[in-house]
């Protein structure tokens, strides 16, 4: 009599274990930046909201398998909407690079030049164990003169296996775009604004 009861209890516990939901893991593009020493503020920037393709505009990771199959991962998620994650990471990287302050939607004095940075991500690709790619068209506008420079950066970063590696690859890609935008701000300051050489 005890054997059937034990078997039933074991089966019930196994079924319960199978129905336990998988834990969700959250990632951010803004983390992991090294602390930067304070720099004299020379610029104000306005990093506008970023646009991303509709198919990746979600919290869940959208990855491409080596076979080309697209997968939506419920347990691997961005800490916030992808467009917001990219925008925050760009703002952090640009301001750290330039020693600038991001004054988007913030009152500010008129004693420093203001540069508006707009970014349209046209491709955001994640291929596990291979690469993390961000293809972005972006512009820098000098508000005082309304002069604008529009450029494109294709940042294709090789990555190792695992989700952490994929996120690090996308962070490097965002940092490349930010470095290109910062170089244009400096070029405006020097009077020869142009897209950085590829």
């Amino acid at each position: 009599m005890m054997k059937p009861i034990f078997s039933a209890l074991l089966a019930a516990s196994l079924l319960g274990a199978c129905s336990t939901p998988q834990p969700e893991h959250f990632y951010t593009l803004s983390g992991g930046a090294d602390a930067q020493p304070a720099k004299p503020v020379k610029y104000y920037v306005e990093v506008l909201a970023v646009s991303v393709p509709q198919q990746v505009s979600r919290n869940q990771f959208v990855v491409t398998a080596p076979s080309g199959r697209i997968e939506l991962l419920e347990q691997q998620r961005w800490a916030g909407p992808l467009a917001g994650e990219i925008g925050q990471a760009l703002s952090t990287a640009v301001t750290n690079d330039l020693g600038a302050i991001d004054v988007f939607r913030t009152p500010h004095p008129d004693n420093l030049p203001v540069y508006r940075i707009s970014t349209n991500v046209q491709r955001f690709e994640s291929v596990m164990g291979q690469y993390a790619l961000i293809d972005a068209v972006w512009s820098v506008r000098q508000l005082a003169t309304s002069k604008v420079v529009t450029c494109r950066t294709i940042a294709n970063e090789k990555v190792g296996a695992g989700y952490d590696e994929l996120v690090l690859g996308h962070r490097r890609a965002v940092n490349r775009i930010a470095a290109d935008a910062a170089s244009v701000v400096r070029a405006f300051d020097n009077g020869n604004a142009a897209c950085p050489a590829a």
Side-chain angles (χ1 to χ4, degrees):
M1 184 68 181
M2 289 298 292
K3 191 172 181 181
I5 293 174
F6 177 76
S7 298
L9 288 173
L10 180 61
S13 66
L14 287 174
L15 283 174
C18 290
S19 65
T20 301
Q22 294 287 327
E24 294 178 350
H25 302 279
F26 294 89
Y27 301 83
T28 181
L29 290 173
S30 300
D34 294 332
Q36 298 289 322
K39 298 178 182 177
V41 177
K42 295 177 62 177
Y43 312 99
Y44 292 137
V45 295
E46 293 181 349
V47 180
L48 303 186
V50 173
S51 63
V52 299
Q54 184 175 356
Q55 60 267 33
V56 295
S57 182
R58 57 186 73 231
N59 287 59
Q60 299 96 327
F61 279 22
V62 179
V63 301
T64 305
S67 64
R69 185 180 68 251
I70 302 297
E71 299 177 349
L72 181 66
L73 306 181
E74 289 294 340
Q75 275 68 49
Q76 275 65 44
R77 294 172 175 255
W78 298 110
L82 181 59
E85 283 288 313
I86 296 172
Q88 181 59 51
L90 279 173
S91 174
T92 300
V94 167
T95 54
N96 282 347
D97 191 333
L98 293 171
I101 297 175
D102 188 346
V103 295
F104 181 51
R105 294 181 177 166
T106 304
H108 56 84
D110 298 327
N111 59 325
L112 293 174
V114 182
Y115 295 91
R116 179 171 292 159
I117 300 171
S118 304
T119 309
N120 174 15
V121 173
Q122 301 190 330
R123 286 193 297 156
F124 187 95
E125 296 179 6
S126 306
V127 181
M128 295 297 297
Q130 294 187 18
Y131 66 85
L133 181 144
I134 303 178
D135 178 355
V137 174
W138 50 271
S139 65
V140 177
R141 179 184 297 273
Q142 187 181 49
L143 294 191
T145 63
S146 292
K147 290 181 180 176
V148 63
V149 172
T150 300
C151 308
R152 182 183 186 187
T153 300
I154 302 175
N156 190 346
E157 299 291 328
K158 290 183 180 179
V159 300
Y163 300 113
D164 289 350
E165 280 290 314
L166 194 62
V167 172
L168 290 173
H170 279 304
R171 286 181 184 172
R172 292 194 299 271
V174 169
N175 286 338
R176 279 187 55 190
I177 297 166
D180 285 351
S183 73
V184 171
V185 171
R186 290 192 185 92
F188 263 117
D189 206 30
N190 297 328
N192 55 354
C195 292

